[in-house]
Amino acid sequence: TNGSIDGTIYGGSNILGTISGSSLIDISGGQLGNSSATDYTSVDTVFGGGLGQSTNVQGRVLLNIKDTNNNLNIYGNAYGGSSLGTITGDVEVNIQDNPSIANIISISGYVFGGGKGNNTTAATVAGDITVNVDGSNLPNCSVFGGSNINGTINGKIVVNVGKKYTSTLYTVYGGGNQDDINTVTPEVKVYLLPNANVTNAFNGGKAADLISAGENDTSRAIYLQGGTVQNIYGGSDSSGTVTVSNVYIESGNATNVYGGNNLGGTTTTTKVSITDGIIGNIYGGGNQAVSTTTNVTTTGGIITNIFGGGNNAGVTTANVTTNGGNIGTIFGGSNASGDVTESFVTTNDGAIASTIDTVYGGNNQGGTTTTPIVTINGGGVGTVYGGGNQAVTNVTNVYIYGD
């Protein structure tokens, strides 16, 4: 509880061997890894499983990272899974820096629910993965529900942040680092709970695909259920193909919400649903990454701006539908740049009326919207423009119905 280990801890066997029971690693103080390392994300400090392709933990793996006995400093990556081996049972990773205890946790690398493979061998988790962060002050740490490199996850992935205690993290990923999630994994879900304090949250991975079974698949989703998040993405970060993204804003505060990816890759279909909460900007598309079809739907919430397109990114078809909420400005297209082929803005489409200051069918500051279509049902809307704000629009269509 107060030692120092410069090497790597394994809960399983070395090279060859099967653990027929469970693996429990309880880290409650001391130091893992070497503080003089130049890149902590390239150093591995602890695996819940074994080392080697022929290692297996048949039971449950439980990795607890807590501060109950002393300060805890981790200079490298921590894994619930194995290095090249197999976990047959479920994996649970718990991070808890209890605010009632004076000790602190510092993690300078990444935390993974899954494992680490190589170019030829996958690290496999046959069961479910659950990552719980409930109490943390880790503004530079990234947590992944999936694997680092070449992992196979046959069970569900669930990441929970901030259920009871304030939980500060730099980035949360439902997926992996450089490891794709395909339909073999039945579920990938991220829950940002009332005490979450997160800079970036992704349902997808860092440079990884997130593949769904079809357009109506809701098994990949990210939820804001309280707490404060700066940026929420339905897709992945620097690259990756995301077939369907589902973002649910139910309560809490968010500065920016994106249905698509951040810097690169593509999202085929995005679905952003807002029922409550306070949000600065909602983008149906990505930040700097293109999307094909976007869907933003509101039934509540206080929202400054809604963009059917992306921030600096294009979209083929953008859809914005309001059934409630207090909204400042709606743009059918994108924000600073990005071309949109067609945009559809439909207000007050249901029984609950929205209050909207201004509606633009097109883009905001740059890019082109080819064909925007704006449909206003009833009142509650201040000013309507068929085209963009400071952006080019080819053909505009505005329809107004009701009172």
Side-chain angles (χ1 to χ4, degrees), residues 306-376:
I306 296 176
F307 300 88
N311 184 20
N312 290 280
V315 167
T316 303
T317 302
N319 300 283
V320 177
T321 305
T322 68
N323 297 308
N326 190 330
I327 304 165
T329 305
I330 296 175
F331 296 90
S334 295
N335 183 20
S337 65
D339 294 338
V340 177
T341 304
E342 54 182 357
S343 70
F344 299 87
V345 178
T346 306
T347 70
N348 300 327
D349 193 43
I352 302 174
S354 306
T355 301
I356 305 166
D357 293 339
T358 308
V359 173
Y360 293 90
N363 287 17
N364 182 16
Q365 297 176 341
T368 300
T369 308
T370 303
T371 307
I373 299 174
V374 177
T375 303
I376 308 296

Short mmCIF file of all heavy atoms in Angstrom, two decimals, residues 306-376:
data_model
loop_
_atom_site.label_atom_id
_atom_site.label_comp_id
_atom_site.label_asym_id
_atom_site.label_seq_id
_atom_site.Cartn_x
_atom_site.Cartn_y
_atom_site.Cartn_z
N ILE A 306 -28.08 25.96 -32.07
CA ILE A 306 -28.15 24.63 -32.67
C ILE A 306 -27.70 24.74 -34.12
O ILE A 306 -28.17 25.60 -34.87
CB ILE A 306 -29.57 24.05 -32.63
CG1 ILE A 306 -30.04 23.84 -31.20
CG2 ILE A 306 -29.63 22.72 -33.40
CD1 ILE A 306 -31.47 23.34 -31.09
N PHE A 307 -26.79 23.84 -34.52
CA PHE A 307 -26.33 23.74 -35.91
C PHE A 307 -26.68 22.35 -36.42
O PHE A 307 -26.27 21.35 -35.83
CB PHE A 307 -24.83 23.96 -36.01
CG PHE A 307 -24.37 25.31 -35.52
CD1 PHE A 307 -24.05 25.50 -34.18
CD2 PHE A 307 -24.26 26.38 -36.38
CE1 PHE A 307 -23.63 26.73 -33.71
CE2 PHE A 307 -23.84 27.62 -35.93
CZ PHE A 307 -23.52 27.80 -34.59
N GLY A 308 -27.40 22.28 -37.52
CA GLY A 308 -27.66 20.98 -38.10
C GLY A 308 -26.40 20.35 -38.66
O GLY A 308 -26.25 19.14 -38.69
N GLY A 309 -25.45 21.18 -39.11
CA GLY A 309 -24.18 20.70 -39.62
C GLY A 309 -23.11 20.64 -38.55
O GLY A 309 -23.41 20.45 -37.37
N GLY A 310 -21.85 20.82 -38.95
CA GLY A 310 -20.74 20.76 -38.01
C GLY A 310 -20.23 22.14 -37.66
O GLY A 310 -20.80 23.16 -38.05
N ASN A 311 -19.13 22.16 -36.92
CA ASN A 311 -18.48 23.42 -36.56
C ASN A 311 -17.64 23.91 -37.73
O ASN A 311 -17.93 24.93 -38.35
CB ASN A 311 -17.64 23.23 -35.31
CG ASN A 311 -17.02 24.53 -34.83
OD1 ASN A 311 -17.49 25.62 -35.18
ND2 ASN A 311 -15.97 24.44 -34.05
N ASN A 312 -16.59 23.19 -38.05
CA ASN A 312 -15.78 23.43 -39.25
C ASN A 312 -15.84 22.19 -40.12
O ASN A 312 -14.81 21.65 -40.52
CB ASN A 312 -14.33 23.74 -38.87
CG ASN A 312 -14.18 25.08 -38.20
OD1 ASN A 312 -14.14 26.12 -38.86
ND2 ASN A 312 -14.10 25.07 -36.88
N ALA A 313 -17.02 21.72 -40.42
CA ALA A 313 -17.18 20.44 -41.10
C ALA A 313 -18.46 20.40 -41.91
O ALA A 313 -19.48 20.99 -41.52
CB ALA A 313 -17.17 19.30 -40.08
N GLY A 314 -18.43 19.67 -43.00
CA GLY A 314 -19.58 19.55 -43.87
C GLY A 314 -20.48 18.38 -43.53
O GLY A 314 -20.10 17.45 -42.80
N VAL A 315 -21.69 18.43 -44.09
CA VAL A 315 -22.71 17.40 -43.89
C VAL A 315 -23.49 17.28 -45.21
O VAL A 315 -23.71 18.28 -45.90
CB VAL A 315 -23.67 17.80 -42.74
CG1 VAL A 315 -24.91 16.93 -42.72
CG2 VAL A 315 -22.96 17.73 -41.40
N THR A 316 -23.90 16.07 -45.53
CA THR A 316 -24.73 15.90 -46.72
C THR A 316 -26.17 16.34 -46.44
O THR A 316 -26.71 17.21 -47.12
CB THR A 316 -24.70 14.45 -47.21
OG1 THR A 316 -23.34 14.07 -47.47
CG2 THR A 316 -25.51 14.29 -48.48
N THR A 317 -26.79 15.73 -45.44
CA THR A 317 -28.17 16.06 -45.08
C THR A 317 -28.24 16.36 -43.58
O THR A 317 -27.86 15.52 -42.76
CB THR A 317 -29.13 14.91 -45.41
OG1 THR A 317 -29.04 14.62 -46.81
CG2 THR A 317 -30.56 15.27 -45.07
N ALA A 318 -28.76 17.55 -43.25
CA ALA A 318 -28.87 17.96 -41.85
C ALA A 318 -30.34 18.14 -41.48
O ALA A 318 -31.10 18.77 -42.22
CB ALA A 318 -28.11 19.26 -41.61
N ASN A 319 -30.73 17.60 -40.32
CA ASN A 319 -32.11 17.69 -39.85
C ASN A 319 -32.13 18.25 -38.43
O ASN A 319 -31.47 17.70 -37.53
CB ASN A 319 -32.77 16.31 -39.84
CG ASN A 319 -32.83 15.67 -41.22
OD1 ASN A 319 -33.66 16.03 -42.04
ND2 ASN A 319 -31.92 14.73 -41.48
N VAL A 320 -32.90 19.30 -38.23
CA VAL A 320 -33.12 19.86 -36.89
C VAL A 320 -34.62 19.92 -36.65
O VAL A 320 -35.36 20.55 -37.42
CB VAL A 320 -32.52 21.27 -36.74
CG1 VAL A 320 -32.83 21.83 -35.36
CG2 VAL A 320 -31.02 21.25 -36.99
N THR A 321 -35.08 19.28 -35.58
CA THR A 321 -36.51 19.25 -35.25
C THR A 321 -36.68 19.65 -33.80
O THR A 321 -36.08 19.05 -32.91
CB THR A 321 -37.10 17.85 -35.48
OG1 THR A 321 -36.85 17.43 -36.81
CG2 THR A 321 -38.59 17.85 -35.22
N THR A 322 -37.51 20.67 -33.54
CA THR A 322 -37.74 21.11 -32.16
C THR A 322 -39.16 20.77 -31.75
O THR A 322 -40.13 21.05 -32.45
CB THR A 322 -37.52 22.62 -32.02
OG1 THR A 322 -38.54 23.33 -32.72
CG2 THR A 322 -36.16 23.02 -32.55
N ASN A 323 -39.27 20.14 -30.58
CA ASN A 323 -40.56 19.82 -29.96
C ASN A 323 -40.62 20.39 -28.55
O ASN A 323 -41.37 19.91 -27.71
CB ASN A 323 -40.78 18.30 -29.90
CG ASN A 323 -40.84 17.68 -31.27
OD1 ASN A 323 -41.61 18.13 -32.11
ND2 ASN A 323 -40.03 16.67 -31.51
N GLY A 324 -39.83 21.37 -28.27
CA GLY A 324 -39.74 21.96 -26.94
C GLY A 324 -38.36 22.51 -26.71
O GLY A 324 -37.42 22.22 -27.46
N GLY A 325 -38.22 23.32 -25.67
CA GLY A 325 -36.93 23.90 -25.34
C GLY A 325 -36.91 25.40 -25.54
O GLY A 325 -37.72 25.97 -26.27
N ASN A 326 -35.98 26.04 -24.85
CA ASN A 326 -35.76 27.48 -24.98
C ASN A 326 -34.47 27.66 -25.77
O ASN A 326 -33.38 27.41 -25.25
CB ASN A 326 -35.66 28.11 -23.58
CG ASN A 326 -35.67 29.62 -23.61
OD1 ASN A 326 -35.21 30.23 -24.58
ND2 ASN A 326 -36.19 30.23 -22.56
N ILE A 327 -34.57 28.11 -27.01
CA ILE A 327 -33.46 28.08 -27.96
C ILE A 327 -33.17 29.49 -28.46
O ILE A 327 -34.09 30.22 -28.84
CB ILE A 327 -33.78 27.15 -29.14
CG1 ILE A 327 -34.12 25.74 -28.63
CG2 ILE A 327 -32.61 27.10 -30.12
CD1 ILE A 327 -34.79 24.87 -29.66
N GLY A 328 -31.88 29.84 -28.48
CA GLY A 328 -31.49 31.14 -29.00
C GLY A 328 -31.56 31.17 -30.51
O GLY A 328 -32.45 31.78 -31.11
N THR A 329 -30.62 30.49 -31.19
CA THR A 329 -30.54 30.53 -32.65
C THR A 329 -30.38 29.13 -33.21
O THR A 329 -29.61 28.33 -32.68
CB THR A 329 -29.36 31.40 -33.11
OG1 THR A 329 -29.46 32.69 -32.53
CG2 THR A 329 -29.36 31.54 -34.62
N ILE A 330 -31.10 28.86 -34.28
CA ILE A 330 -30.97 27.60 -35.01
C ILE A 330 -30.40 27.89 -36.38
O ILE A 330 -30.89 28.76 -37.11
CB ILE A 330 -32.32 26.88 -35.16
CG1 ILE A 330 -32.88 26.47 -33.80
CG2 ILE A 330 -32.18 25.64 -36.06
CD1 ILE A 330 -34.27 25.87 -33.88
N PHE A 331 -29.37 27.14 -36.76
CA PHE A 331 -28.82 27.16 -38.13
C PHE A 331 -29.04 25.77 -38.72
O PHE A 331 -28.61 24.77 -38.14
CB PHE A 331 -27.33 27.47 -38.12
CG PHE A 331 -26.98 28.85 -37.61
CD1 PHE A 331 -26.74 29.05 -36.26
CD2 PHE A 331 -26.91 29.93 -38.48
CE1 PHE A 331 -26.43 30.31 -35.78
CE2 PHE A 331 -26.60 31.20 -38.00
CZ PHE A 331 -26.36 31.40 -36.65
N GLY A 332 -29.65 25.72 -39.86
CA GLY A 332 -29.81 24.42 -40.51
C GLY A 332 -28.50 23.84 -40.99
O GLY A 332 -28.34 22.62 -41.07
N GLY A 333 -27.54 24.69 -41.28
CA GLY A 333 -26.25 24.25 -41.78
C GLY A 333 -25.16 24.26 -40.73
O GLY A 333 -25.41 24.08 -39.54
N SER A 334 -23.91 24.51 -41.18
CA SER A 334 -22.74 24.45 -40.30
C SER A 334 -22.40 25.84 -39.76
O SER A 334 -23.04 26.84 -40.09
CB SER A 334 -21.55 23.86 -41.06
OG SER A 334 -21.79 22.51 -41.41
N ASN A 335 -21.33 25.88 -38.96
CA ASN A 335 -20.96 27.12 -38.28
C ASN A 335 -19.91 27.92 -39.06
O ASN A 335 -20.22 28.73 -39.90
CB ASN A 335 -20.47 26.81 -36.87
CG ASN A 335 -20.15 28.05 -36.07
OD1 ASN A 335 -20.60 29.15 -36.40
ND2 ASN A 335 -19.35 27.90 -35.03
N ALA A 336 -18.63 27.69 -38.77
CA ALA A 336 -17.56 28.50 -39.37
C ALA A 336 -17.26 28.12 -40.81
O ALA A 336 -16.94 28.98 -41.63
CB ALA A 336 -16.30 28.40 -38.51
N SER A 337 -17.33 26.83 -41.12
CA SER A 337 -17.08 26.36 -42.48
C SER A 337 -17.71 24.99 -42.64
O SER A 337 -18.12 24.35 -41.68
CB SER A 337 -15.58 26.31 -42.78
OG SER A 337 -14.95 25.34 -41.96
N GLY A 338 -17.74 24.51 -43.89
CA GLY A 338 -18.32 23.20 -44.18
C GLY A 338 -19.55 23.32 -45.05
O GLY A 338 -20.49 24.06 -44.72
N ASP A 339 -19.57 22.62 -46.16
CA ASP A 339 -20.70 22.66 -47.08
C ASP A 339 -21.78 21.66 -46.67
O ASP A 339 -21.48 20.54 -46.24
CB ASP A 339 -20.24 22.35 -48.50
CG ASP A 339 -19.32 23.43 -49.06
OD1 ASP A 339 -19.37 24.58 -48.55
OD2 ASP A 339 -18.54 23.12 -49.98
N VAL A 340 -23.03 22.08 -46.84
CA VAL A 340 -24.19 21.25 -46.51
C VAL A 340 -25.05 21.16 -47.77
O VAL A 340 -25.47 22.18 -48.32
CB VAL A 340 -25.00 21.84 -45.34
CG1 VAL A 340 -26.24 21.00 -45.07
CG2 VAL A 340 -24.13 21.96 -44.10
N THR A 341 -25.32 19.95 -48.21
CA THR A 341 -26.11 19.77 -49.43
C THR A 341 -27.56 20.16 -49.22
O THR A 341 -28.15 20.92 -50.00
CB THR A 341 -26.02 18.32 -49.92
OG1 THR A 341 -24.64 17.97 -50.10
CG2 THR A 341 -26.76 18.13 -51.23
N GLU A 342 -28.18 19.64 -48.16
CA GLU A 342 -29.56 20.01 -47.86
C GLU A 342 -29.76 20.04 -46.36
O GLU A 342 -29.20 19.22 -45.62
CB GLU A 342 -30.56 19.03 -48.50
CG GLU A 342 -30.33 17.58 -48.16
CD GLU A 342 -31.31 16.65 -48.86
OE1 GLU A 342 -32.20 17.16 -49.57
OE2 GLU A 342 -31.20 15.42 -48.66
N SER A 343 -30.54 21.04 -45.90
CA SER A 343 -30.85 21.16 -44.47
C SER A 343 -32.35 21.29 -44.29
O SER A 343 -33.03 21.95 -45.08
CB SER A 343 -30.13 22.36 -43.86
OG SER A 343 -30.69 23.58 -44.32
N PHE A 344 -32.84 20.66 -43.23
CA PHE A 344 -34.27 20.71 -42.90
C PHE A 344 -34.41 21.19 -41.46
O PHE A 344 -33.94 20.51 -40.53
CB PHE A 344 -34.91 19.34 -43.06
CG PHE A 344 -34.85 18.78 -44.46
CD1 PHE A 344 -33.75 18.05 -44.88
CD2 PHE A 344 -35.89 19.01 -45.35
CE1 PHE A 344 -33.69 17.53 -46.16
CE2 PHE A 344 -35.84 18.50 -46.64
CZ PHE A 344 -34.74 17.76 -47.05
N VAL A 345 -35.04 22.33 -41.27
CA VAL A 345 -35.33 22.84 -39.93
C VAL A 345 -36.84 22.85 -39.75
O VAL A 345 -37.56 23.50 -40.51
CB VAL A 345 -34.77 24.26 -39.72
CG1 VAL A 345 -35.15 24.77 -38.33
CG2 VAL A 345 -33.27 24.27 -39.90
N THR A 346 -37.32 22.11 -38.76
CA THR A 346 -38.76 22.02 -38.48
C THR A 346 -38.99 22.39 -37.03
O THR A 346 -38.49 21.71 -36.13
CB THR A 346 -39.30 20.61 -38.77
OG1 THR A 346 -38.95 20.23 -40.10
CG2 THR A 346 -40.80 20.56 -38.59
N THR A 347 -39.76 23.45 -36.78
CA THR A 347 -39.99 23.89 -35.40
C THR A 347 -41.39 23.51 -34.95
O THR A 347 -42.33 23.43 -35.75
CB THR A 347 -39.83 25.42 -35.29
OG1 THR A 347 -40.91 26.06 -35.97
CG2 THR A 347 -38.51 25.87 -35.87
N ASN A 348 -41.49 23.26 -33.62
CA ASN A 348 -42.76 22.96 -32.98
C ASN A 348 -43.50 21.84 -33.71
O ASN A 348 -44.66 21.95 -34.09
CB ASN A 348 -43.65 24.21 -32.88
CG ASN A 348 -42.99 25.31 -32.09
OD1 ASN A 348 -42.25 25.04 -31.15
ND2 ASN A 348 -43.24 26.57 -32.45
N ASP A 349 -42.79 20.74 -33.86
CA ASP A 349 -43.31 19.60 -34.61
C ASP A 349 -44.20 18.70 -33.76
O ASP A 349 -44.78 17.75 -34.25
CB ASP A 349 -42.15 18.78 -35.18
CG ASP A 349 -42.60 17.77 -36.22
OD1 ASP A 349 -43.44 18.14 -37.05
OD2 ASP A 349 -42.12 16.63 -36.19
N GLY A 350 -44.28 18.97 -32.44
CA GLY A 350 -45.06 18.12 -31.55
C GLY A 350 -45.98 18.95 -30.68
O GLY A 350 -46.24 20.13 -30.93
N ALA A 351 -46.47 18.30 -29.59
CA ALA A 351 -47.43 18.96 -28.71
C ALA A 351 -46.79 20.03 -27.84
O ALA A 351 -47.45 20.96 -27.38
CB ALA A 351 -48.09 17.90 -27.82
N ILE A 352 -45.47 19.92 -27.59
CA ILE A 352 -44.77 20.89 -26.75
C ILE A 352 -44.11 21.93 -27.64
O ILE A 352 -43.31 21.60 -28.52
CB ILE A 352 -43.70 20.19 -25.88
CG1 ILE A 352 -44.36 19.11 -25.01
CG2 ILE A 352 -42.98 21.20 -24.99
CD1 ILE A 352 -43.37 18.29 -24.23
N ALA A 353 -44.43 23.19 -27.42
CA ALA A 353 -43.90 24.26 -28.27
C ALA A 353 -42.52 24.68 -27.80
O ALA A 353 -42.21 24.68 -26.61
CB ALA A 353 -44.85 25.45 -28.26
N SER A 354 -41.68 25.06 -28.75
CA SER A 354 -40.36 25.61 -28.46
C SER A 354 -40.43 27.13 -28.49
O SER A 354 -41.27 27.72 -29.18
CB SER A 354 -39.33 25.15 -29.50
OG SER A 354 -39.32 23.75 -29.62
N THR A 355 -39.54 27.77 -27.75
CA THR A 355 -39.35 29.21 -27.84
C THR A 355 -38.01 29.45 -28.50
O THR A 355 -36.97 29.06 -27.98
CB THR A 355 -39.38 29.86 -26.45
OG1 THR A 355 -40.64 29.58 -25.82
CG2 THR A 355 -39.19 31.36 -26.55
N ILE A 356 -38.03 30.09 -29.68
CA ILE A 356 -36.82 30.23 -30.50
C ILE A 356 -36.69 31.70 -30.91
O ILE A 356 -37.63 32.30 -31.43
CB ILE A 356 -36.91 29.35 -31.76
CG1 ILE A 356 -37.18 27.89 -31.38
CG2 ILE A 356 -35.62 29.46 -32.58
CD1 ILE A 356 -37.61 27.02 -32.54
N ASP A 357 -35.51 32.26 -30.68
CA ASP A 357 -35.29 33.65 -31.07
C ASP A 357 -35.15 33.80 -32.57
O ASP A 357 -35.83 34.62 -33.20
CB ASP A 357 -34.04 34.21 -30.37
CG ASP A 357 -34.20 34.33 -28.87
OD1 ASP A 357 -35.36 34.37 -28.41
OD2 ASP A 357 -33.17 34.37 -28.16
N THR A 358 -34.23 33.04 -33.19
CA THR A 358 -33.91 33.24 -34.61
C THR A 358 -33.67 31.89 -35.28
O THR A 358 -33.04 31.00 -34.70
CB THR A 358 -32.66 34.11 -34.78
OG1 THR A 358 -32.81 35.31 -34.02
CG2 THR A 358 -32.44 34.46 -36.24
N VAL A 359 -34.13 31.76 -36.51
CA VAL A 359 -33.90 30.56 -37.32
C VAL A 359 -33.26 30.95 -38.64
O VAL A 359 -33.75 31.85 -39.34
CB VAL A 359 -35.21 29.80 -37.59
CG1 VAL A 359 -34.97 28.66 -38.57
CG2 VAL A 359 -35.82 29.27 -36.30
N TYR A 360 -32.16 30.30 -38.98
CA TYR A 360 -31.52 30.41 -40.30
C TYR A 360 -31.58 29.03 -40.96
O TYR A 360 -31.22 28.02 -40.35
CB TYR A 360 -30.05 30.82 -40.18
CG TYR A 360 -29.80 32.21 -39.67
CD1 TYR A 360 -29.66 32.45 -38.31
CD2 TYR A 360 -29.69 33.28 -40.56
CE1 TYR A 360 -29.42 33.74 -37.84
CE2 TYR A 360 -29.45 34.57 -40.09
CZ TYR A 360 -29.31 34.79 -38.73
OH TYR A 360 -29.06 36.06 -38.26
N GLY A 361 -31.95 29.01 -42.21
CA GLY A 361 -31.95 27.74 -42.93
C GLY A 361 -30.55 27.29 -43.31
O GLY A 361 -30.29 26.09 -43.45
N GLY A 362 -29.63 28.24 -43.47
CA GLY A 362 -28.30 27.92 -43.95
C GLY A 362 -27.23 27.94 -42.89
O GLY A 362 -27.49 27.74 -41.70
N ASN A 363 -25.98 28.20 -43.34
CA ASN A 363 -24.81 28.21 -42.44
C ASN A 363 -24.71 29.54 -41.71
O ASN A 363 -25.43 30.50 -42.00
CB ASN A 363 -23.54 27.98 -43.25
CG ASN A 363 -23.38 26.55 -43.71
OD1 ASN A 363 -24.34 25.78 -43.71
ND2 ASN A 363 -22.18 26.19 -44.13
N ASN A 364 -23.72 29.59 -40.79
CA ASN A 364 -23.51 30.80 -40.02
C ASN A 364 -22.47 31.71 -40.67
O ASN A 364 -22.80 32.69 -41.31
CB ASN A 364 -23.10 30.44 -38.59
CG ASN A 364 -22.92 31.66 -37.70
OD1 ASN A 364 -23.37 32.75 -38.02
ND2 ASN A 364 -22.24 31.48 -36.58
N GLN A 365 -21.18 31.37 -40.55
CA GLN A 365 -20.11 32.28 -40.97
C GLN A 365 -19.40 31.87 -42.25
O GLN A 365 -18.70 32.69 -42.85
CB GLN A 365 -19.07 32.40 -39.85
CG GLN A 365 -19.64 33.01 -38.57
CD GLN A 365 -18.63 33.03 -37.44
OE1 GLN A 365 -17.64 32.29 -37.48
NE2 GLN A 365 -18.87 33.85 -36.45
N GLY A 366 -19.52 30.63 -42.66
CA GLY A 366 -18.81 30.20 -43.85
C GLY A 366 -19.37 28.91 -44.41
O GLY A 366 -20.24 28.28 -43.80
N GLY A 367 -18.88 28.52 -45.57
CA GLY A 367 -19.41 27.34 -46.22
C GLY A 367 -20.68 27.66 -46.99
O GLY A 367 -21.19 28.79 -46.97
N THR A 368 -21.21 26.67 -47.66
CA THR A 368 -22.40 26.85 -48.50
C THR A 368 -23.46 25.83 -48.15
O THR A 368 -23.15 24.64 -47.97
CB THR A 368 -22.04 26.71 -50.00
OG1 THR A 368 -21.08 27.71 -50.34
CG2 THR A 368 -23.27 26.87 -50.89
N THR A 369 -24.70 26.28 -48.08
CA THR A 369 -25.85 25.37 -47.98
C THR A 369 -26.57 25.39 -49.31
O THR A 369 -27.04 26.45 -49.75
CB THR A 369 -26.81 25.79 -46.85
OG1 THR A 369 -26.07 25.97 -45.65
CG2 THR A 369 -27.89 24.74 -46.64
N THR A 370 -26.65 24.25 -49.95
CA THR A 370 -27.24 24.22 -51.28
C THR A 370 -28.76 24.42 -51.23
O THR A 370 -29.29 25.32 -51.89
CB THR A 370 -26.91 22.89 -51.98
OG1 THR A 370 -25.49 22.73 -52.02
CG2 THR A 370 -27.46 22.86 -53.40
N THR A 371 -29.45 23.61 -50.47
CA THR A 371 -30.91 23.69 -50.41
C THR A 371 -31.39 23.62 -48.96
O THR A 371 -31.52 22.52 -48.41
CB THR A 371 -31.56 22.55 -51.22
OG1 THR A 371 -31.03 22.55 -52.54
CG2 THR A 371 -33.08 22.71 -51.27
N PRO A 372 -31.66 24.75 -48.33
CA PRO A 372 -32.26 24.72 -46.99
C PRO A 372 -33.78 24.77 -47.07
O PRO A 372 -34.34 25.48 -47.90
CB PRO A 372 -31.70 25.99 -46.34
CG PRO A 372 -31.49 26.93 -47.47
CD PRO A 372 -31.22 26.10 -48.69
N ILE A 373 -34.45 24.03 -46.20
CA ILE A 373 -35.90 24.03 -46.11
C ILE A 373 -36.28 24.28 -44.66
O ILE A 373 -35.93 23.51 -43.77
CB ILE A 373 -36.50 22.70 -46.61
CG1 ILE A 373 -36.13 22.47 -48.07
CG2 ILE A 373 -38.01 22.67 -46.42
CD1 ILE A 373 -36.57 21.12 -48.61
N VAL A 374 -36.99 25.39 -44.42
CA VAL A 374 -37.40 25.77 -43.07
C VAL A 374 -38.91 25.67 -42.98
O VAL A 374 -39.64 26.25 -43.80
CB VAL A 374 -36.95 27.21 -42.73
CG1 VAL A 374 -37.45 27.61 -41.35
CG2 VAL A 374 -35.44 27.33 -42.82
N THR A 375 -39.39 24.93 -41.96
CA THR A 375 -40.83 24.78 -41.74
C THR A 375 -41.15 25.24 -40.33
O THR A 375 -40.66 24.65 -39.36
CB THR A 375 -41.27 23.32 -41.93
OG1 THR A 375 -40.90 22.88 -43.25
CG2 THR A 375 -42.77 23.19 -41.76
N ILE A 376 -41.98 26.28 -40.22
CA ILE A 376 -42.38 26.85 -38.93
C ILE A 376 -43.82 26.45 -38.65
O ILE A 376 -44.73 26.83 -39.40
CB ILE A 376 -42.24 28.38 -38.91
CG1 ILE A 376 -40.85 28.81 -39.38
CG2 ILE A 376 -42.56 28.93 -37.53
CD1 ILE A 376 -39.72 28.37 -38.50
#
